[in-house]
């Protein structure tokens, strides 16, 4: 059964992507590694079919930036020889996402367009829950619908089914409005 995951992108990365005009482009590649700044998707159990939601904590708000369904996972060392030319071109194009030490590459079909202004509403933020071995846990450091610290988002985490659906809906609604 396919799952959903979140991964926290830094403000520096998001600002660089905004400045370089990446908003509105569709994610096709994500990078993972062994360190906190670039956490491992493989260690988190991500498999083909799973959907990754990059998120950003900015000015006490949580932003859901987009989504990408994983179709293939390869090690970074194998990427040069394993990938077809089209996939390798995606890897080169999205090189800005390759911050820090990278050990794995996730590939997928183009997802919804990347957006930096899709805020998770306060009521959704307060009930946002993540699955764990011990059950579900809500996001800590949320007060009055505002995010006071992002520590609970660093890494790769699986939202509980209802929360995963909320994130999916927010991404879909962002681009469903013809006025946007």
């Amino acid at each position: 059964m396919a799952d959903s995951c979140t991964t926290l992108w830094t403000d520096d990365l998001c600002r660089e992507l905004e400045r370089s005009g990446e908003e509105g482009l569709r994610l096709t590649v994500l990078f993972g590694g062994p360190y906190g700044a670039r956490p491992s998707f493989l260690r988190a159990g991500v498999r083909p079919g799973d959907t990754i939601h990059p998120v950003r904590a900015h000015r006490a708000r949580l932003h859901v930036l987009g989504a990408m369904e994983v179709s293939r996972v390869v090690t970074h060392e194998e990427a040069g020889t394993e990938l077809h030319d089209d996939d390798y071109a995606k890897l080169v194009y999205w090189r800005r996402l390759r911050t820090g030490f990278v050990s794995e590459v996730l590939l997928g079909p183009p997802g919804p367009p990347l957006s930096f202004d899709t805020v998770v509403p306060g009521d959704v933020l307060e009930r946002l829950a993540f699955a764990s071995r011990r059950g579900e846990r809500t996001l800590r450091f949320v007060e009055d619908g505002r995010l006071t610290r992002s520590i609970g988002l660093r890494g790769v985490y699986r939202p509980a089914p209802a929360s995963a659906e909320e994130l999916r809906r927010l991404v879909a609604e962002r681009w469903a409005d013809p006025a946007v």
Side-chain angles (χ1 to χ4, degrees):
M1 184 172 139
D3 277 325
S4 179
C5 295
T6 63
T7 185
L8 182 68
W9 285 3
T10 65
D11 267 338
D12 288 342
L13 174 60
C14 291
R15 279 192 296 271
E16 182 179 342
L17 292 171
E18 285 175 301
R19 277 193 302 268
S20 61
E22 308 301 323
E23 184 163 19
L25 297 181
R26 298 170 187 273
L27 280 177
T28 54
V29 174
L30 291 169
F31 297 94
Y35 303 115
R38 186 60 48 221
S40 174
F41 292 102
L42 291 175
R43 193 171 32 225
V46 171
R47 304 172 307 274
D50 289 351
T51 299
I52 309 296
H53 291 279
V55 295
R56 175 188 194 184
H58 184 65
R59 298 186 179 176
R61 299 283 183 208
L62 182 65
H63 300 252
V64 61
L65 308 175
M68 187 188 90
E69 183 181 332
V70 178
S71 62
R72 190 167 177 208
V73 181
V74 297
T75 66
H76 190 257
E77 294 79 30
E78 296 171 332
T81 57
E82 289 278 319
L83 300 180
H84 300 337
D85 290 344
D86 290 346
D87 286 336
Y88 191 77
K90 295 173 191 174
L91 182 85
V92 172
Y93 181 82
W94 286 104
R95 69 188 173 279
R96 285 180 188 86
L97 297 179
R98 189 187 176 276
T99 58
F101 182 76
V102 170
S103 60
E104 57 204 44
V105 178
L106 280 65
L107 299 160
L114 201 57
S115 171
F116 297 97
D117 61 359
T118 306
V119 176
V120 176
D123 62 320
V124 174
L125 185 63
E126 288 181 352
R127 66 177 179 266
L128 196 61
F130 293 88
S132 73
R133 290 186 189 114
R134 293 183 219 126
E136 290 184 8
R137 67 167 176 89
T138 57
L139 191 58
R140 293 175 52 198
F141 306 112
V142 175
E143 294 176 11
D144 299 323
R146 298 180 64 77
L147 189 62
T148 59
R149 296 182 65 196
S150 63
I151 191 79
L153 294 163
R154 294 181 189 152
V156 177
Y157 295 104
R158 294 186 183 281
S163 294
E165 180 57 29
E166 290 273 15
L167 295 175
R168 188 208 59 76
R169 184 186 54 76
L170 286 168
V171 170
E173 285 177 356
R174 167 63 174 93
W175 295 102
D177 184 358
V180 177

